[in-house]
Amino acid sequence: WRVQDQVLDFPTTRLLWINTYLPTDPLTIDFDESELLGVLSEVESILDKTLFNDVIWNGDLNWDMSRRSGFSLIMKDFVEKLGLVSLWCSNPIDYTHVHTDGVSTSVLDHFLCNERLLPLVVECTPLHTGDNISRHSPILLRLNVGEIPRKQKTSSWLPKKPAWYKASMADIQNYKQDLQDRLQSLGTPGCLTCRDPHCSDSVHSGERDSFVLDIL
């Protein structure tokens, strides 16, 4: 696998371009995800440390969004965490990869970007040419960078959310069980038996507020 990045300076934006080649999807739910998580960690580190306004992440991601494999689920969670979208969602295509049988196809190569770039996409497509000796088709993106609006405010790119893509199935199951145990341990406050729709009892109000906060 490999990760390359470059910052392109335009009059109204600093565009971070990331190109990656990701490990192959083993097409199973359970797999050794250490190599994939290592690449994604490097991508996340680039986003954390680089000064930029917009981002395009592209390459052979070996990610077919229609699959329900563990690899695909990790990629889905990671891309959603970054707030990026695949351009194929708004520009449907046929395929980017032909398998070894010469018949089966899939979409493994992507352009991912932040949402404010979507209206500026002029063309986005795979190029199926007869002289291409690779089973992957080159993918083309034309972007109207002259129309990118100047970003007035800067903020942290990555939202501070739990990194679910790093969690194993056992971690997630343990987390669910812990939440269930905590909820079941909460005592039901007596105010919930009050039948007065116009209740103004300050004790009841305080108990309700505390119960809501305990649940959260």
Side-chain angles (χ1 to χ4, degrees), residues 13 26 43 176:
T13 187
V43 170
K176 289 180 178 179

Side-chain angles (χ1 to χ4, degrees), residues 97-118:
H97 178 258
V98 180
H99 296 275
T100 53
D101 61 7
V103 178
S104 306
T105 60
S106 54
V107 178
L108 302 182
D109 308 84
H110 296 267
F111 286 111
L112 307 173
C113 71
N114 53 301
E115 290 192 7
R116 83 173 191 139
L117 294 183
L118 293 178

Side-chain angles (χ1 to χ4, degrees), residues 10-13 15 56 117 120 122 142-149:
F10 296 103
T12 59
T13 187
L15 179 63
I56 295 176
L117 294 183
L120 307 180
V122 177
R142 292 177 60 211
L143 188 70
N144 191 351
V145 295
E147 295 297 322
I148 297 178

Side-chain angles (χ1 to χ4, degrees), residues 13 17 20 23 28 30 45 64 73 85 92 94-95 101 107 131 140 179 192 203:
T13 187
W17 186 284
T20 59
T28 58
D30 297 317
S45 177
D64 189 313
L73 294 176
V85 292
D94 45 9
Y95 65 90
D101 61 7
V107 178
D131 58 352
L140 167 71
L179 287 183
L192 296 186
V203 174

Side-chain angles (χ1 to χ4, degrees), residues 9-73:
D9 281 301
F10 296 103
T12 59
T13 187
R14 285 174 58 86
L15 179 63
L16 174 62
W17 186 284
I18 304 176
N19 182 277
T20 59
Y21 169 63
L22 266 57
T24 303
D25 183 353
L27 304 179
T28 58
I29 289 294
D30 297 317
F31 72 107
D32 181 1
E33 69 268 30
S34 56
E35 188 176 17
L36 173 61
L37 296 183
V39 187
L40 299 185
S41 178
E42 185 168 345
V43 170
E44 188 170 6
S45 177
I46 291 171
L47 290 165
D48 268 336
K49 297 176 181 178
T50 307
L51 178 63
F52 67 96
N53 304 116
D54 298 284
V55 60
I56 295 176
W57 176 17
N58 78 287
D60 176 6
L61 306 188
N62 274 313
W63 174 36
D64 189 313
M65 294 188 291
S66 66
R67 294 173 180 168
R68 300 300 299 169
S69 63
F71 181 105
S72 182
L73 294 176

